[in-house]
Amino acid sequence: MKDSIAGIRSNINSKSSSVASLPLILDIDDFKGDFSFDALFGNLVNDLLPSFQDEEADSADGVGGSAVLATGHARAPSDAAKLAQGLSSPLFPEVDSLLSLFRDSCRELIDLRKQIDGRLYNFKKEVSVQDSKHRKTLAELEKGVDGLFDSFARLDTRISSVGQTAAKIGDHLQSADAQRETASQTIELIKYMMEFNGSPGDLMELSPLFSDDSRVAEAASIAQKLRSFAEEDIGRQDLTVTSVMGNATASRGLEVAVTNLQDYCNELENRLLVRFDAASQKRELSTMAECANFLSQFNRGTSAMQHYVATRPMFIDVEVMNADSRLVLGDQGSQASPSNVARGLSSLFKEITDTVRKEAATIIAVYPSPNDVMSILVQRVLEQRVTALLDKLLVKPSLVNLPTMEEGGLLLYLRMLAVAYEKTQELARDLRAVGCGDLDVEGLTESLFSSHKDEYPEHEQASLRQLYQAKMEELCAESQQPSESTGTIGRSKGASAASSHQQISVTVVTEFVRWNEEAISRCTLFSSLPATLAANVKAVFTCLLDQVGQYITEGLERARDGLTEAATLRERFVLGTSVSRRVAAAAASAAEAAAAAGESSFRSFMVAVQRCGSSVAMVQQYFANSISRLLLPVDGAHAASCEEMAKAMSTAEAAAYKGLQQCIETVMAEVERLLPAEQKATDYRSPDDGMAPDHRPTNACTKVVAYLSRVLEAAFTALEGLNKQAFLTELGNRLHKGLLNHWQKFTFNPSGGLRLKRDITEYGEFVRSFNAPSVGEKFELLGIMANVFIVAPESLSTLFEGTPSIRKDAQRFIQLREDYKSAKLASRLGSLWTSSS
């Protein structure tokens, strides 16, 4: 189109001076492609417009002083110039040419449109015809495709049927081939069986297969099949009742074959084992693996595995066994200690674990089933090497003839057993980590100690009894060391000194508990089931209860012996009234010595009671902290042990009760000795000499209170709780009764009554420290009763108005008044006593 337009421009330029021009020739191709109306119009008019613009520019250049605008148009200097220019030439000189051009272009465009419309019409007709043909063709194609699909479906069905038939034929062919192969193998096996069915022991006429080293695996497999078949046939023949001659002959022939096959298999296996051993010596792992694969044809390789394990140096070298013993037990003749044995076992078992780990690397590289070999190896280690060492280490002692304490006693055996068991369990865990196949290594380890664990509870209890017996012998030997004294009093002092060595010791009870703790730790180690553990713990704890109960009971009894001896001494020096002054003085001196012995025995017994309480508290604390948690998982075990503990302590409680009663008797005996010895008749019936009455306690009261304060200091320290309260209450009641009996021997005047009231106040203040309300109340009533000696006879009846409960005791006291008969108090108070009764 650009070329056409260029032609138009040249045509217009050649005729620019004329008004009319030749028609334009536009081509349809000019409108193809990237058509632009603006470009077409511009190309049509731009050929005419430049001439006009050039002329305008020339006229503008002739005018002086004119200015050119930035748009290309000249600016006239004045309106007059514009008018003159307009009159001389037209504004658009090419209008006619452009108009003619536009008209021609319009006509040609209309013609082009008509041509295009014609062509479009023709194209529509052609497209309609072609579309009809296409539709017809598509319909025919669809029918053809449907037919083709039907053909494909029939073909697919046919192919499937043929495939199934071919598969069946293939299965039959495969089955036939398998049968043919089986028949061929059977023929070969029958041929080989006939070869082995020759003369017994004749292996020279066998096929080359059985002597070819390169075909060992095949020969071994065939030999095993023949052997299995022959043995099964012989077994069937043995179960058959018929006795046909042919069968019997066949049976004998197969027996010959079995014998020859067994000989051949043994010879082949031995040959492979020789090769395997030679390769093992050279560490040729590939050859070893090859032989192991061949040997797996025989009994799944079990014999080869066992042969390999049995040939390990640690099982056949005697020096290894001796080295194990020296490492653990030390030099021959010396007694090994548990700590040294523990270190030796740790070192030895570490060495064994390292050896097994090295063997495991070889086994994994050589054997097709290494777990089976590891199982055999670990089992051999435990059953041979470890068992041999344990047999030397653990010699079970007899419960009839126990080893002496110089030899370590049963305790040494139990400690060795615990160390060996614990270290062997660690070895089992280490071997399990290295690998031991399906072997129950923990169960095997337990079986090594089964004979020891079966009798363990009896040995543990016997050991505790042996330790207790040895300790008692040691304490007895220590108590006999002090030198014996001569003389009666000297002998008592010597016995007291000896008894001090046999006094209850909390340290000894602590040692009993420590033995029991160690035994309980072994019970926990050896007892895996809760019921078994509870039974063993209960038995061991019962031993502690028996030991502590017996020890503290015997200690209390020994302390009581001192009290009994002091009582005997007191009774020995009780004299009648008709003795000389010299004898009486000697008896008094001996009585004082007996009193001193009694006071010393009292203190010793109180110390024994205190230590007894501490020992019992220690056992109870030990039970709560260590024993209870082991018994609670089993129903009834905890309650049964509590009953055992109460039963064991009851004997000691009975001994303590008897001893405390003796202590009261000892104290009261001394009080009853001091009162008549120190109390004077004038203390309560002082003469009426006009002197001021003495308000101090009597000498007897002072000495009795001083004695009680001194001796009961040990009781206040030793006793506590209800025991202390019961003891002091009983002593207070006995003191009250003793004082009443003592005062019944005296006669009282008013000043003596005041002195008695002062004594009662002193006694009351002392017994107030007992914290026994009933005792304090009795002494308060005594203070009230003492008023019967102070008030005038006519005022006596008023004393009992507020406290009628003391009338009975007051009646006896009133009879002790100095003026009882002179004042005729019996008749005066007769009505009072009658009303109270």
Side-chain angles (χ1 to χ4, degrees), residues 131-144:
D131 184 62
S132 299
K133 292 180 179 180
H134 180 66
R135 290 179 183 274
K136 183 177 180 181
T137 302
L138 286 178
E140 293 176 353
L141 286 175
E142 287 179 358
K143 292 180 180 179

Side-chain angles (χ1 to χ4, degrees), residues 258-293:
V258 168
T259 302
N260 290 335
L261 284 168
Q262 182 64 48
D263 293 341
Y264 172 74
C265 289
N266 292 338
E267 186 272 333
L268 180 59
E269 186 175 8
N270 291 332
R271 194 170 65 202
L272 290 173
L273 288 175
V274 171
R275 289 178 56 189
F276 183 86
D277 290 341
S280 177
Q281 294 290 335
K282 300 177 182 179
R283 298 291 298 170
E284 296 177 354
L285 298 181
S286 59
T287 305
M288 293 172 64
E290 181 182 358
C291 293
N293 288 327

